Amino acid sequence: MKKKVTFADVAAYTGFSKTTISRYFNDPDSLTLENQEKIQTALKELGYQENKLAKILANGKSEFIGIIVPNLYLNFYAEMLELLLTTYEQCGYKFLVFPGSEKEDVESTSMSFWLIKSKD
């Protein structure tokens, strides 16, 4: 199995600090164009692949929206869900749809279960 390339690997390859590599991802305008290009070249040459889960955990933004739909068989909810899902193309959000239940603890458990499994 191929080892994942880390910020430390990119830093060692470029001679920059891990902080500088982090700044490339979080605030690239704080670096000169020359340094941005060096880091970009290193990322390509090393085969760096962004860890989306790490990014979500670091900035607290997942771009996921959880939706609990009470009754999918009712036309109103199906149409509303369709409208929400079409915003994905416009806004880039990802939706998690859960069937509703009349029991709040069941809904809470199903959402919590997904959140725990998504971090594994």
Side-chain angles (χ1 to χ4, degrees):
M1 187 171 146
K2 187 177 176 183
K3 178 187 174 283
K4 289 189 177 185
V5 177
T6 66
F7 279 15
D9 298 326
V10 178
Y13 188 86
T14 59
F16 295 131
S17 68
K18 287 191 289 185
T19 302
T20 301
I21 304 305
S22 178
R23 283 180 32 219
Y24 171 82
F25 287 97
N26 298 313
D27 186 18
D29 292 336
S30 68
L31 302 173
T32 65
L33 288 177
E34 180 182 349
N35 288 349
Q36 289 179 37
E37 289 171 6
K38 285 180 183 177
I39 294 170
Q40 187 175 20
T41 300
L43 294 172
K44 286 179 186 174
E45 291 177 3
L46 293 171
Y48 177 81
Q49 291 184 343
E50 184 178 20
N51 183 334
K52 292 185 181 187
L53 181 56
K55 187 174 184 176
I56 289 168
L57 293 173
N59 69 19
K61 298 177 184 176
S62 71
E63 298 175 358
F64 280 99
I65 297 175
I67 303 170
I68 299 176
V69 182
N71 295 306
L72 282 175
Y73 59 87
L74 292 177
N75 193 38
F76 170 77
Y77 293 114
E79 287 182 25
M80 185 174 60
L81 182 59
E82 178 65 27
L83 288 171
L84 285 170
L85 294 177
T86 59
T87 63
Y88 170 77
E89 295 174 6
Q90 299 166 358
C91 302
Y93 287 104
K94 298 161 192 75
F95 294 96
L96 304 168
V97 180
F98 297 92
S101 168
E102 293 183 15
K103 299 176 184 169
E104 186 178 329
D105 60 327
V106 172
E107 291 176 356
S108 177
T109 302
S110 65
M111 290 287 283
S112 298
F113 175 75
W114 185 88
L115 292 172
I116 291 167
K117 291 301 283 181
S118 69
K119 292 180 182 179
D120 289 347

